[in-house]
Amino acid sequence: MMDKVRVRYAPSPTGYLHIGNARSALFNYLFARRYNGDFIIRIEDTDKARNVETGEESQLHYLKWLGLEWNESVDKDGGYGPYRQSERGHIYDPLVQQLLDEGKAYRCYMTSEELEAEREAQIARGEMPRYGGQHAGLTEEEEKALVAEGREPSIRLRVPKDKTYTFNDIVKGDVSFESNGIGDWVIVKKDGVPTYNFAVVVDDHFMEISHVLRGDDHISNTPKQQMVYEAFGWEEPKFGHMTLIVNEDKKKLSKRDGSIIQFIEQYKDLGYLPEALFNFIALLGWTPEGEEEIFSKEEFIELFDEKRLSKSPAFFDKQKLTWINNQYMKEKDTETVFEMALPHLIKEGLVEENASEAELDWARKLVALYQEQMSFAGEITTLSEQFFKEDIEFDEAANAVISDEHIPELMTALHSRFGELEDFSPQTIKAAIKDVQKSTGYKGKKLFMPIRVAVTGQTKGPELPDTISLIGKEKTLSRIAKLK
């Protein structure tokens, strides 16, 4: 094994950065930093039909937003490039020819229709579908005849018979596969493009990757990749396959799962903090010692131990995510939280796009009022909706509060005292409520709960005098008057 730790995250630019890929990148990043190694980002872009124009840019942008820095990639050459597979044909081609020359690979001229017919017949017989090796021993004349028919060949690797491929997985321990269950597989497609399981081995070898940490869905690829290492006489890296992420129904997290937000871009747009998302993702399938769950990036690097990667599926707990983000939101400086929340207020038409300084100052106070409660910045629009409504709608709990027989007396006294205030600040409002308490004799829940419900429509919320001050004198008096 190589002395220096070198790991890679190798996305395909066929889509945008989602939770599963972000976790793979993050664990590789923590592993590299923990052992003073290198973290490489390589772009596997050979599937041109599925590539998204901004896919590569998006992947790098949101990895950077999450706080991941890399040692090498398309924007930082470390001497092992190119870092896009589409630019590495000059490396793959002679190696493919070497395998052909050594008889370890061969050209297969079977059509997709013939292969599909073979597959269906095997399934009908209850067999595991695999290529039967029909073109594994073609003579030169037979090949010429097939070429004359206009057939384009793929290139297949000869799979050794009766061989067991084993590896000691960092997460799972000893894993083995029987070669007889794997037919000769394609290393170069008919269009001349190397397949994933061939190209990834070549790239990992020449980039001197020491450890391959990836999702559990790749484990069945490992024996095929071992065959390529074996064919060239190369040393294998150490493999580790992280368990799947599952939803509340214990089903594998899927991009089509509408119950969970999938893409990092969406979390950024909703107003989640990158350091909170980093914290949450780092706990998806990895557990630190002790009960603490909030750590800085530097603490995660110091604590990270690959032996503590979970063998059980990682549960995506939405409530835990909002709790973690709330912990970070509470500690963030108010100006940053305001800058994150303002676009959401503008989008909903609650604050003018070209708001005056006075309006922005009001909005800043509004965000500060709810900072302790906010799970993410976009939540400000629902938390503060009572500030923008003319009429309040009372729910069952609120109606129970304002139906008490003392409410008209309390509201009459409150309306009179608030009406006298020239300075409608939290301090004067607090003093006025105290005066009403003395004059009416109502205190505690009999006093504060009805005031909150009358003015906000809610039974709980942030500091009452601050809330009333921000709602404003005119709107407050109007709401109280309806319950006199």
Side-chain angles (χ1 to χ4, degrees), residues 390-405:
E390 288 304 317
D391 297 312
I392 291 177
E393 296 174 6
F394 300 112
D395 61 17
E396 188 176 341
N399 270 317
V401 172
I402 58 174
S403 62
D404 200 295
E405 60 182 16

Side-chain angles (χ1 to χ4, degrees), residues 406 410 433 437 441-451 464:
H406 80 289
L410 176 60
I433 293 174
Q437 177 183 336
Y442 299 121
K443 58 184 179 179
K445 280 191 174 183
K446 284 257 183 198
L447 175 69
F448 295 106
M449 185 71 84
I451 297 174
L464 188 56

Side-chain angles (χ1 to χ4, degrees), residues 40-284:
I40 297 106
I41 295 180
R42 188 175 68 223
I43 307 298
E44 298 183 346
D45 62 344
T46 53
D47 192 348
K48 295 177 182 178
R50 294 180 60 227
N51 287 347
V52 176
E53 185 178 352
T54 57
E56 178 185 309
E57 179 188 354
S58 176
Q59 288 272 344
L60 296 177
H61 176 79
Y62 288 101
L63 286 172
K64 196 168 290 185
W65 179 78
L66 272 175
L68 275 61
E69 311 94 18
W70 45 90
N71 299 89
E72 301 170 28
S73 189
V74 293
D75 61 346
K76 190 183 289 188
D77 193 340
Y80 291 85
Y83 293 90
R84 294 185 186 92
Q85 279 190 342
S86 60
E87 299 170 0
R88 295 175 64 82
H90 63 288
I91 299 172
Y92 305 135
D93 292 346
L95 291 168
V96 172
Q97 189 58 51
Q98 177 185 331
L99 294 179
L100 287 169
D101 293 343
E102 293 175 354
K104 295 175 181 176
Y106 60 91
R107 294 179 179 86
C108 171
Y109 295 85
M110 289 186 70
T111 65
S112 56
E113 291 79 12
E114 289 170 338
L115 291 168
E116 183 58 31
E118 178 185 40
R119 174 184 170 82
E120 289 177 359
Q122 289 170 333
I123 292 173
R125 294 194 298 269
E127 300 172 2
M128 180 71 71
R130 64 187 180 93
Y131 175 63
Q134 291 87 330
H135 287 186
L138 292 175
T139 64
E140 188 175 340
E141 289 73 21
E142 287 172 328
E143 278 204 54
K144 286 179 180 178
L146 292 167
V147 170
E149 290 179 20
R151 297 194 183 208
E152 294 288 338
S154 60
I155 298 175
R156 292 181 181 271
L157 187 76
R158 294 187 193 276
V159 173
K161 307 299 181 192
D162 304 318
K163 179 159 186 174
T164 302
Y165 285 88
T166 62
F167 58 97
N168 183 258
D169 193 277
I170 292 171
V171 180
K172 298 177 176 298
D174 290 333
V175 179
S176 63
F177 290 88
E178 299 301 323
S179 67
N180 290 347
I182 306 169
D184 294 349
W185 54 277
V186 175
I187 60 172
V188 180
K189 294 178 283 188
K190 292 181 185 293
D191 61 5
V193 176
T195 58
Y196 166 76
N197 280 314
F198 178 78
V200 74
V201 170
V202 174
D203 294 342
D204 284 347
H205 172 73
F206 285 104
M207 290 185 180
E208 298 182 12
I209 299 302
S210 63
H211 297 75
V212 173
L213 301 177
R214 56 192 180 188
D216 200 37
D217 51 336
H218 279 286
I219 197 163
S220 60
N221 288 322
T222 309
K224 290 183 176 181
Q225 292 167 17
Q226 288 182 293
M227 293 172 194
V228 178
Y229 282 107
E230 180 182 61
F232 288 116
W234 295 339
E235 185 178 5
E236 296 176 13
K238 181 74 173 171
F239 294 102
H241 293 87
M242 297 168 282
T243 55
L244 300 174
I245 303 173
V246 297
N247 62 18
E248 292 173 350
D249 298 322
K250 309 301 181 188
K251 293 181 180 177
K252 176 186 173 183
L253 198 65
S254 162
K255 294 177 189 177
R256 293 181 294 276
D257 186 348
S259 68
I260 291 175
I261 298 169
Q262 295 287 319
F263 296 98
I264 304 302
E265 180 179 4
Q266 292 172 292
Y267 286 102
K268 180 179 182 293
D269 290 346
L270 283 169
Y272 281 79
L273 289 163
E275 54 267 42
L277 206 54
F278 185 108
N279 194 143
F280 173 74
I281 293 171
L283 298 175
L284 282 174

